[in-house]
Amino acid sequence: MAYGQRDDSGGWRARYKRPDGTLGSKSGFPSERAAENWGNEQEALIRRHMWIDPRDGETPFGTFARELLDALAPRLEPSTLAKYKSHLDSQLLPQWSAWPLIGIFNNYVEIEKWVSELHEDYAESTVASVFATFSTMLNAAVRARCMPANPCSGIRVTSGAYESDRLVANPVQALRAAMRLHHTAGLSGVVLCLMDLYTGARWSELVGQQRHEYDRENRAICIQEPLKEIGGHLFKGGRRVGPGGELEGIPASASQRPKRRGRAAKRGRTKSPAGTRWVPLPPGIATAYETLMHSRDSPWVFCTPDRAPLRRSNFRQRCWRPAWDGVRPDEPRHSRHAPAILSDFSFHEGRHSHNTWMTEDGVPEVARRARLGQKMKGIARVYDHVTPAMTEDLLQSLETRWVKSVASLSVAERAQLLLWIPRLRASLATDEDLIAISSPFAS
């Protein structure tokens, strides 16, 4: 039974029994009855398993966040751990480190002010990412019984403006942009652009491809260990990429099937279990991919002249943007003028374009999701499966798009493409009639 007693200041202190049998107390009450009522409320919350120990609520956010990160670190992907540490060091600890958790809970307006200040210094996407990390840690504090609820709930982080529609490239635009990339990135750039649009794989999944991950018999790439950039360093399968593109530690094994389960497959895995997959290539794209592999002896299919894997930022600024945005597109008389193909088109929008192409061609959703490395939703996850016939139809529709895009090139452009990838002559010869019909130069 709770009770009140006099404290040294002349006021009243509440005394109550904690769950472990020890006595808790709180001072500052004006009367014995007020102290007793407060103590009875604490014991009632304890009986309903809703009580939060005031001592835990006084834990500084910085102390709790570091302990939480130490506990989670062994189970987090290196990239996720690096993101959390970056957010803590740059944005969260400078603002909230000394705040007690219960103080954060009782200062909703202070959180709103902090979010507004973040918007003054960072892009909206960055603010959303930092806020998500903060909210995740406060959710953990709620589960640890350090605060009654997460005060981040209901806070509006984004401006709510309408998002611009994703751009979708057609096969001809994809091919012409790929050919432009030859000037800045060589054959690697040409094939990487085509693979982006014709596989829908993510950047990390494509640039992380190594020679042993290609199935020559089935003409399919194996996606199981994407290339990740963490703190300025590249990693594949949990192993750091050293000088000359060599993997430090145990070399990658030429496995015949993607790893899906087990501790050995945990580090450096795909974004989700569904992302570990084989992606078959249409014949024309497979020919281009094999030509690129035969042109070099690096273990990386897509690499720089010094055999190192490509880096996203460098490739985007130096190669990708000029290919799609053009060079001096508003100055047609300039000697370096090249018109835009599809301004602001991003590498990730190649993934959106690929899915759109499959939708236009009537590919079943289960086959589309499997190719993109996504899970089916609902009961379809249990009962829908990809059949060989679906895969064959999908590849045939992609090959048709590829052949038509080649046919739409000018005679000079087509000759240049066949000069870079001579083996395409054999695959395109079977579609000679289609090319003749589709070509704007056909008589």
Side-chain angles (χ1 to χ4, degrees):
M1 181 71 178
Y3 61 92
Q5 64 177 194
R6 285 283 186 181
D7 60 21
D8 296 338
S9 65
W12 290 87
R13 174 187 291 113
R15 302 285 282 178
Y16 62 97
K17 184 178 289 187
R18 297 193 187 100
D20 60 4
T22 60
L23 289 178
S25 67
K26 182 180 180 180
S27 301
F29 294 95
S31 65
E32 180 181 10
R33 186 173 184 81
E36 183 178 330
N37 287 341
W38 186 87
N40 286 331
E41 289 176 3
Q42 303 310 301
E43 292 187 350
L45 290 172
I46 291 171
R47 288 193 295 272
R48 295 200 296 269
H49 304 287
M50 298 173 62
W51 181 71
I52 294 176
D53 192 332
R55 296 172 299 181
D56 293 335
E58 293 299 323
T59 303
F61 173 81
T63 300
F64 179 82
R66 291 188 183 94
E67 291 179 354
L68 177 65
L69 208 57
D70 288 341
L72 294 177
R75 292 180 284 131
L76 293 177
E77 280 289 304
S79 55
T80 304
L81 181 61
K83 179 183 71 173
Y84 284 171
K85 286 182 176 179
S86 175
H87 290 169
L88 277 174
D89 294 341
S90 302
Q91 292 94 11
L92 299 182
L93 293 182
Q95 170 68 23
W96 303 108
S97 180
W99 279 67
L101 292 172
I102 198 65
I104 296 176
F105 171 74
N106 290 318
N107 278 274
Y108 166 83
V109 174
E110 194 67 29
I111 299 175
E112 289 279 16
K113 290 180 180 177
W114 172 66
V115 172
S116 297
E117 291 171 359
L118 287 179
H119 275 287
E120 295 176 2
D121 300 324
Y122 301 99
E124 191 170 272
S125 58
T126 302
V127 175
S129 182
V130 171
F131 185 81
T133 300
F134 184 52
S135 183
T136 296
M137 293 186 169
L138 294 190
N139 276 332
V142 173
R143 291 192 292 272
R145 306 304 294 266
C146 293
M147 60 170 60
N150 186 349
C152 291
S153 178
I155 291 180
R156 187 174 182 176
V157 180
T158 59
S159 63
Y162 290 106
E163 293 186 4
S164 58
D165 292 336
R166 289 285 187 177
L167 297 174
V168 176
N170 61 48
V172 178
Q173 290 172 323
L175 179 53
R176 285 209 160 99
M179 293 181 68
R180 278 189 183 179
L181 280 163
H182 193 277
H183 300 296
T184 52
L187 188 58
S188 234
V190 177
V191 179
L192 181 58
C193 182
L194 293 175
M195 290 287 286
D196 177 31
L197 274 294
Y198 280 88
T199 67
R202 301 175 179 88
W203 166 268
S204 59
E205 295 172 341
L206 287 176
V207 297
Q209 284 297 303
Q210 293 191 305
R211 303 172 72 89
H212 69 270
E213 293 175 311
Y214 182 63
D215 182 346
R216 293 180 181 274
E217 182 179 350
N218 295 307
R219 308 189 91 176
I221 59 172
C222 173
I223 295 176
Q224 59 179 342
E225 293 178 344
L227 190 70
K228 299 185 179 183
E229 187 168 352
I230 305 169
H233 301 291
L234 297 175
F235 295 83
K236 180 175 172 66
R239 298 182 296 277
R240 182 172 170 176
V241 180
E246 297 295 331
L247 289 175
E248 297 178 352
I250 301 173
S253 60
S255 57
Q256 294 302 310
R257 295 194 61 80
K259 300 173 184 175
R260 286 186 175 269
R261 299 179 179 84
R263 296 189 178 184
K266 181 178 179 182
R267 289 297 180 184
R269 60 190 174 186
T270 52
K271 191 172 183 179
S272 68
T276 301
R277 64 201 188 276
W278 288 100
V279 181
L281 308 180
I285 305 303
T287 298
Y289 191 76
E290 291 167 0
T291 299
L292 177 63
M293 286 199 300
H294 293 154
S295 69
R296 60 192 60 199
D297 59 357
S298 169
W300 304 94
V301 179
F302 302 104
C303 63
T304 61
D306 60 356
R307 296 166 53 93
L310 299 176
R311 288 182 178 265
R312 184 168 196 154
S313 181
N314 289 344
F315 184 82
R316 180 178 62 243
Q317 297 302 324
R318 299 175 184 177
C319 308
W320 187 266
R321 290 268 53 89
W324 288 92
D325 298 346
V327 178
R328 298 183 181 271
D330 300 326
E331 302 177 35
R333 295 185 179 181
H334 195 279
S335 58
R336 295 181 56 213
H337 167 73
I341 292 177
L342 188 57
S343 294
D344 300 323
F345 185 79
S346 68
F347 194 92
H348 187 71
E349 283 173 324
R351 182 172 171 84
H352 289 254
S353 298
H354 182 68
N355 187 59
T356 303
W357 293 359
M358 291 191 292
T359 302
E360 288 179 341
D361 294 334
V363 176
E365 183 183 3
V366 64
R368 299 200 309 270
R369 290 203 176 253
R371 189 168 179 83
L372 295 176
Q374 300 170 337
K375 272 186 192 174
M376 287 288 287
K377 295 181 179 179
I379 197 65
R381 187 185 306 174
V382 178
Y383 288 104
D384 286 10
H385 305 283
V386 181
T387 65
M390 289 182 190
T391 302
E392 183 61 31
D393 290 344
L394 186 158
L395 294 177
Q396 183 57 54
S397 63
L398 290 175
E399 181 66 8
T400 299
R401 286 178 175 270
W402 161 250
V403 171
K404 287 183 176 179
S405 71
V406 175
S408 65
L409 297 177
S410 68
V411 174
E413 288 173 326
R414 198 179 312 142
Q416 182 65 75
L417 178 64
L418 294 177
L419 181 64
W420 294 335
I421 313 175
R423 293 176 59 200
L424 283 177
R425 294 181 184 276
S427 62
L428 294 174
T430 58
D431 298 285
E432 185 176 352
D433 294 338
L434 178 59
I435 292 176
I437 293 173
S438 304
S439 175
F441 297 93
S443 56

